[in-house]
Amino acid sequence: MQNTQIILNSRPNGMVEASNFTIQESTINELQDGELLIKIKYISLDPAMRGWMNAGTTYIKGVEIGAVMRAFAAGEVIDSKNDVFAIGDHVQGLLGAQTHAISNGKGLSKCDLSKGNLSWHLGILGMPGMTAYFGLLERGQPKAGETVFVSGAAGIVGSTVGQIAKIKGCKVVGTAGTKAKCDYLLKDCGFDIAINYKEEDVHAVLKQHCPEGIHIFYDNVGGPLLDTALANLAKGARVVICGAISQYNSKSMYGPKNYMKIVTARGHITGIIVFDFLERYPEAVAQLSDWLHTGKMNTKEHIFNGIDTFPSVLKKLFTGENFGKLLIKVS
Ligand SMILES: NC(=O)c1ccc[n+]([C@@H]2O[C@H](COP(=O)([O-])OP(=O)(O)OC[C@H]3O[C@@H](n4cnc5c(N)ncnc54)[C@H](OP(=O)(O)O)[C@@H]3O)[C@@H](O)[C@H]2O)c1
């Protein structure tokens, strides 16, 4: 049986490009005891992949040149010599950008399709949804009546954060890069205010509509937008640094200028790495699934077909061309 794999063949010098990848055919090995074979159905494209393409180690080691690109993926077990995973099970994990994966079961989790479609287990019920849930609730500690400001709000993390904040009784403001995305935040996600950061003066809109200041800033974007948020913090504010997508393709990271506002606001800045909450994922999956099924929340996907689209589709995360959780349907 043949496997089609996306190989990292060079490191980006700035923006990620399709030419950083090659597509390779290989033969699938016989299973050893304890292993299982997964036919991948969806590959997740996540902003973190840009960092994984760099040399060196941050919270995880960079992908080696010549290796299969690291990726979350979900699929069906089609052969098994493993006691935990049986043929027919649906699973997700860091299976790589390929059509088939052999796993020993470590780091793999079963997808309960009664909780949501398989693709949702890479989005709102997967790593990005877990990030939104624990990042907001554990790091942000929202209280009813507070104002939550989310950057990158129309993305899978941002839109989930905003909807959870609404459920918790907060006033929710978000930024996104197009009118269609802002309309989605207002009409489908229940945001109170959506700001097109490419066309509007974010600082002026915040001053006008949030004179009380921001109690939680959930930052997916970083850069100058972080400065704007810091300038508008309310007393006791919490700033949750989840990501800085505006900086991932830059050669040097823009640092915040308005950080002294943390002092005057008696606030704090905190970070989240979703993997620190691995043991609590089932709790979040159950709660998010309940909110989805009871109509309190919705999610949006942007799906491309065919593994060969991977090299060109990844860049869309950084140009804002994705609208919803970016996925590739493999089979
Ligand atoms: N800490 C963790 O454990 C963890 C886990 C998962 C994700 N994250 C982070 O969460 C953030 C969101 O991830 P996601 O999966 O939800 O991605 P996403 O928001 O679904 O997709 C990326 C979006 O970012 C926006 N963007 C791209 N370049 C930008 C720029 N220069 N300035 C402003 N916005 C820009 C674009 O939307 P616009 O059209 O609005 O520009 C784009 O659609 C990322 O920073 C990611 O690294 C962190």
Side-chain angles (χ1 to χ4, degrees):
M1 200 188 279
Q2 287 295 108
N3 192 9
T4 307
Q5 302 177 306
I6 304 296
I7 304 295
L8 181 68
N9 80 351
S10 63
R11 302 203 186 279
N13 182 21
M15 182 59 89
V16 55
E17 299 295 346
S19 57
N20 295 127
F21 302 101
T22 48
I23 301 179
Q24 172 181 289
E25 295 291 324
S26 67
T27 304
I28 297 169
N29 294 333
E30 285 284 307
L31 289 187
Q32 304 295 309
D33 281 344
E35 290 183 335
L36 60 146
L37 175 63
I38 300 139
K39 184 172 164 63
I40 290 178
K41 298 199 167 176
Y42 292 97
I43 295 173
S44 176
L45 293 104
D46 294 289
M49 287 171 152
R50 178 61 189 83
W52 300 344
M53 294 171 77
N54 292 336
T57 301
T58 50
Y59 64 98
I60 194 168
K61 199 169 177 298
V63 177
E64 299 291 341
I65 298 294
V68 174
M69 182 59 202
R70 181 183 295 134
F72 282 94
E76 185 175 348
V77 178
I78 56 170
D79 197 3
S80 181
K81 291 186 177 176
N82 182 289
D83 294 337
V84 178
F85 298 95
I87 292 175
D89 282 348
H90 287 88
V91 295
Q92 68 89 14
L94 277 171
L95 295 170
Q98 52 188 342
T99 56
H100 296 79
I102 290 179
S103 165
N104 60 12
K106 278 196 190 129
L108 205 62
S109 55
K110 289 188 190 176
C111 303
D112 178 352
L113 300 187
S114 72
K115 298 257 184 309
N117 305 331
L118 185 61
S119 58
W120 287 8
H121 288 265
L122 294 174
I124 195 160
L125 301 181
M127 183 278 289
M130 303 301 103
T131 306
Y133 185 91
F134 293 110
L136 179 68
L137 297 179
E138 294 298 326
R139 298 288 192 253
Q141 298 282 327
K143 293 174 200 67
E146 288 189 327
T147 296
V148 176
F149 178 44
V150 190
S151 63
I156 180 63
V157 174
S159 60
T160 308
V161 165
Q163 292 181 88
I164 298 172
K166 283 308 297 177
I167 289 168
K168 296 294 172 186
C170 299
K171 172 174 168 181
V172 178
V173 184
T175 55
T178 65
K179 182 177 184 308
K181 289 182 180 181
C182 287
D183 288 347
Y184 165 70
L185 293 177
L186 296 171
K187 290 180 191 146
D188 298 310
C189 300
F191 278 52
D192 297 284
I193 299 155
I195 311 171
N196 182 341
Y197 72 91
K198 288 184 180 166
E199 292 185 353
E200 295 178 78
D201 179 340
V202 178
H203 183 70
V205 178
L206 288 174
K207 279 270 170 277
Q208 184 189 348
H209 292 285
C210 307
E212 71 281 9
I214 298 160
H215 299 98
I216 298 174
F217 176 46
Y218 193 103
D219 194 15
N220 292 310
V221 166
L225 201 51
L226 171 56
D227 268 330
T228 303
L230 290 173
N232 286 280
L233 293 185
K235 198 169 174 189
R238 287 83 73 200
V239 176
V240 182
I241 306 291
C242 175
I245 196 165
S246 71
Q247 304 298 303
Y248 293 171
N249 291 288
S250 305
K251 288 183 184 142
S252 66
M253 187 75 74
Y254 175 101
K257 294 188 183 127
N258 292 337
Y259 67 89
M260 281 301 285
K261 191 67 203 245
I262 287 289
V263 178
T264 53
R266 287 84 163 164
H268 69 251
I269 300 187
T270 179
I272 166 152
I273 288 290
V274 64
F275 305 125
D276 295 345
F277 294 92
L278 262 176
E279 285 173 8
R280 290 181 58 196
Y281 281 14
E283 157 199 335
V285 170
Q287 179 61 86
L288 289 164
S289 168
D290 180 63
W291 283 334
L292 285 159
H293 284 104
T294 53
K296 295 197 174 85
M297 183 176 263
N298 79 84
T299 192
K300 189 169 172 57
E301 297 178 322
H302 192 161
I303 302 179
F304 287 80
N305 279 308
I307 192 164
D308 51 321
T309 62
F310 180 99
S312 57
V313 168
L314 181 57
K315 187 176 178 176
K316 295 186 188 299
L317 287 169
F318 307 101
T319 57
E321 287 169 86
N322 72 303
F323 188 179
K325 174 71 196 102
L326 191 59
L327 296 161
I328 288 174
K329 188 166 186 340
V330 177
S331 60

